[in-house]
Amino acid sequence: MTKSKLSIKKNLSSMQVLKTLQVLLQGNYTMHELVEKLNVNETTHIFNNSVVSKYINTCRYCGIDIPKIHNKYFVASMPFGLELTGNDINLLENLQNLVRERLTKRYNKIFDGFVEALNKFSNKKIARVEKSSYKLTSELFEYAVIEKRKIKLMYKNRTILECIPLSMHQNKGKTFFQVLYNDKEKMIDSDRISGIEILPQKFIKNFNEPAVIFILKDELATRYTLRENEHLTDTDKPGCIAVSNRGENKEMLFARLLRYDDKCEIITPKIYREEMKQIIANTLQNYGVE
């Protein structure tokens, strides 16, 4: 291959990479959707899964953060993106409040799209937590968990918490971020958060945490559905199953097991068993039962 032909081939590949990035900046898409959108303006079907994956990886190699969450690719940040200062963000918040108070739903939607575009072009990986951008924020949190990257959570009162993301939980219609901060687990109501920033530092999760083993009895044993972090273990009690649970937040696990009433019994670890007994004793005492 001559030098001129090689140069043309390189330039063509560079253009295809830029086209791929351009489509990614328009929204969050599956691989199938990306291929379809990229081939729309081509005379021949030149884009396929293999080449688009290669172009996405080229963008990643250049420092553009493109995670894949729920089977969709999206641009989280770019190293050459906008550097938003604290004053910039304050101004945006004031503008957002004015739009919410004085403009129609149509203009609210337009402004939300503008804010989301700023998030894509920012090198801070910040997503404002509004109804329209919450899904992106939860995706960024989940991406940080998968990639084992530390995060900064920004509270609405301007407090910033640098922590390790562990998992997301749903409880009574609310979403909670479970994080590790100063070696202690915290459950943070997502309604208190105004933004999230993914940090370059990675963390190593300790998988040596003890498993919680509990027994389920009678009809509950036959209809119980195992969670993702659970598996069955041995038990010598007839008509019962023993479940090993690892990694679930203790408060949420206790609240769930309490709903099973006398059909559930924690076996190990001993400290969990004692804590559960104390919770039950305190509850009975509140109702005058000794």
Side-chain angles (χ1 to χ4, degrees):
M1 184 180 293
T2 64
K3 187 174 181 181
S4 61
K5 287 184 178 179
L6 181 62
S7 176
I8 291 171
K9 184 177 180 180
K10 284 184 177 179
N11 288 338
L12 180 62
S13 295
S14 300
M15 287 300 298
Q16 308 299 42
V17 170
L18 292 175
K19 286 179 182 178
T20 302
L21 179 59
Q22 183 182 37
V23 171
L24 283 168
L25 287 170
Q26 294 170 6
N28 307 339
Y29 302 113
T30 64
M31 177 59 72
H32 177 73
E33 290 168 338
L34 280 171
V35 171
E36 280 195 341
K37 286 180 175 293
L38 285 164
N39 280 317
V40 165
N41 297 318
E42 302 295 333
T43 55
T44 60
H45 195 90
I46 60 174
F47 289 95
N48 56 47
N49 290 17
S50 177
V51 297
V52 174
S53 293
K54 182 175 71 175
Y55 297 151
I56 289 174
N57 286 333
T58 300
C59 291
R60 288 168 172 165
Y61 181 78
C62 294
I64 301 170
D65 203 352
I66 307 176
K68 179 186 177 184
I69 303 293
H70 301 313
N71 212 33
K72 289 193 174 186
Y73 297 86
F74 67 94
V75 176
S77 72
M78 296 193 288
F80 42 82
L82 296 170
E83 182 72 35
L84 296 178
T85 67
N87 288 334
D88 294 333
I89 292 173
N90 288 339
L91 178 59
L92 282 170
E93 288 180 347
N94 290 333
L95 284 172
Q96 194 168 55
N97 291 334
L98 287 172
V99 171
R100 293 283 184 267
E101 292 171 4
R102 302 185 182 183
L103 298 182
T104 63
K105 288 183 179 180
R106 176 173 173 267
Y107 285 103
N108 268 264
K109 187 175 181 180
I110 292 172
F111 187 83
D112 287 341
F114 165 69
V115 173
E116 188 171 343
L118 281 180
N119 286 328
K120 285 180 179 290
F121 286 97
S122 168
N123 61 0
K124 288 285 189 178
K125 301 182 188 175
I126 295 174
R128 308 306 299 171
V129 183
E130 299 291 332
K131 287 183 179 179
S132 61
S133 60
Y134 174 73
K135 186 174 182 293
L136 175 60
T137 304
S138 61
E139 286 177 345
L140 288 175
F141 185 91
E142 187 175 356
Y143 172 62
V145 173
I146 293 170
E147 292 295 312
K148 297 182 175 59
R149 292 191 182 276
K150 293 183 178 180
I151 61 171
K152 283 183 180 179
L153 288 176
M154 285 155 278
Y155 287 79
K156 291 179 178 177
N157 65 2
R158 314 290 186 190
T159 303
I160 295 178
L161 187 76
E162 184 173 328
C163 53
I164 291 174
L166 299 178
S167 58
M168 286 194 302
H169 298 272
Q170 299 287 334
N171 189 31
K172 295 181 179 178
K174 286 193 169 187
T175 300
F176 292 86
F177 295 143
Q178 181 183 3
V179 303
L180 189 67
Y181 176 68
N182 286 344
D183 295 323
K184 292 183 180 179
E185 286 189 19
K186 290 175 67 73
M187 295 297 292
I188 302 173
D189 187 343
S190 62
D191 289 342
R192 299 178 60 199
I193 302 300
S194 67
I196 178 173
E197 178 180 351
I198 301 177
L199 302 176
Q201 302 97 315
K202 287 207 167 190
F203 64 86
I204 300 175
K205 187 176 179 180
N206 180 17
F207 290 98
N208 295 322
E209 55 191 1
V212 180
I213 297 176
F214 54 90
I215 296 287
L216 299 177
K217 309 171 185 178
D218 303 334
E219 71 275 8
L220 182 59
T222 61
R223 59 182 171 81
Y224 184 77
T225 302
L226 292 172
R227 305 286 176 106
E228 186 178 346
N229 59 324
E230 294 179 337
H231 66 269
L232 294 178
T233 187
D234 295 334
T235 179
D236 56 1
K237 294 188 176 184
C240 299
I241 61 170
V243 179
S244 175
N245 177 298
R246 189 185 296 274
E248 187 170 351
N249 174 262
K250 182 174 69 174
E251 285 73 22
M252 288 194 166
L253 176 63
F254 278 14
R256 180 161 67 88
L257 298 186
L258 279 168
R259 295 200 302 269
Y260 301 151
D261 201 35
D262 62 347
K263 301 294 188 294
C264 176
E265 177 187 358
I266 292 179
I267 305 301
T268 60
K270 185 178 179 181
I271 187 171
Y272 275 37
R273 180 179 173 87
E274 295 303 317
E275 282 188 51
M276 181 63 89
K277 286 168 64 176
Q278 190 60 52
I279 291 171
I280 294 171
N282 292 342
T283 302
L284 292 173
Q285 190 174 21
N286 288 340
Y287 288 93
V289 180
E290 296 298 334

